[in-house]
Amino acid sequence: MTIRVMIADDQAMVREAFSVLLGAQPGVEVVATAADGAEAVVRARELRPDVVVMDIRMPGTNGIEATRQIVGDPDLATKILVLTTFDLDEYVYEALRAGASGFLLKEASGAQLAEAVRVVAAGDALLSPEITRRLITEFSRLSGPGRPVPGVRVEALTGRETEVLTCVAQGLSNAEIAAELVVAEQTIKTHVGNILQKLQVRDRTQAAVYAYESGLVAPGRTHPRTPPT
């Protein structure tokens, strides 16, 4: 099935380059481009793309606010893939909190770009361990001690689901989690699906953000905290 993509960036050359790169990949179609966040929101509601490749720093309505509006629209199932530079953008964490499903480095190749789009479209958004470590560091700097988040959804997780969520928050893939916990990969997929449903989040990236914000997982820890009572 063809994945329909929109590129949102205030630089025309970036929009054109990414459109060409993605257009050359099998199973991916670029249906629109947008020069700022406001246009991205309008075009997303008109065209309902599967994925928006979203720059953060744009004039007027920036990528964070555009992400919040698109993800918050109950009539849209569009996923957001954030454009960032190699050095973690100070606003990327806020973009994830707004509902973005993952990161894309601007210097990514066409094949990497297409793969990132496919991963996000499938709902399997996963931050690489390197990017996850940077995200955790930035989270610690911006947030300090965990924000108070109601614990009822965390308490709904089983012990095994809590273990899986901890691994997800560390940036591990399903295959890596399966190896870590010595179970079948399909079992991990089932656990991840249950976690997303219980936490009421869109994908595994949002589940990872929730794990840190709830205090279930803390930066520097490899084991979960005891859920709040």
Side-chain angles (χ1 to χ4, degrees), residues 10-216:
D10 62 333
Q11 298 183 41
M13 290 184 65
V14 172
R15 296 195 302 273
E16 293 172 6
F18 276 29
S19 295
V20 170
L21 288 173
L22 278 176
Q25 301 297 319
V28 179
E29 177 188 5
V30 178
V31 297
T33 62
D36 56 41
E39 184 180 5
V41 173
V42 171
R43 300 306 300 277
R45 288 170 175 164
E46 290 177 349
L47 301 173
R48 301 175 182 271
D50 300 304
V51 177
V52 176
V53 179
M54 181 81 75
D55 190 18
I56 292 179
R57 300 185 181 187
M58 294 184 287
T61 302
N62 63 29
I64 295 174
E65 180 56 32
T67 294
R68 187 176 292 112
Q69 291 184 35
I70 292 171
V71 172
D73 191 326
D75 294 327
L76 296 177
T78 302
K79 304 291 181 63
I80 307 295
L81 183 60
V82 172
L83 284 171
T84 185
T85 56
F86 184 74
D87 292 320
L88 188 63
D89 191 300
E90 62 182 307
Y91 299 114
V92 165
Y93 179 70
E94 291 304 316
L96 283 179
R97 290 190 68 235
S101 294
F103 292 99
L104 174 70
L105 302 181
K106 279 196 171 182
E107 60 265 35
S109 68
Q112 290 171 328
L113 171 58
E115 179 60 22
V117 166
R118 292 188 182 102
V119 167
V120 169
D124 295 329
L126 179 64
L127 308 176
S128 71
E130 178 184 5
I131 294 295
T132 299
R133 285 193 295 270
R134 291 183 177 201
L135 175 63
I136 294 168
T137 299
E138 185 71 1
F139 170 78
S140 301
R141 184 183 71 81
L142 292 174
S143 303
R147 293 184 177 90
V149 176
V152 60
R153 286 186 285 171
V154 173
E155 292 173 352
L157 300 181
T158 66
R160 179 60 88 182
E161 288 167 354
T162 301
E163 289 181 299
V164 172
L165 177 57
T166 301
C167 292
V168 168
Q170 293 170 349
L172 301 184
S173 67
N174 285 344
E176 291 168 334
I177 298 173
E180 177 78 14
L181 300 182
V182 196
V183 297
E185 186 174 349
Q186 183 58 49
T187 300
I188 298 302
K189 290 180 180 179
T190 299
H191 284 315
V192 170
N194 291 338
I195 290 167
L196 299 186
Q197 182 178 22
K198 289 181 179 181
L199 298 185
Q200 300 171 32
V201 293
R202 291 164 61 95
D203 54 45
R204 60 195 299 142
T205 301
Q206 295 302 306
V209 171
Y210 185 92
Y212 287 104
E213 288 201 319
S214 68
L216 179 66

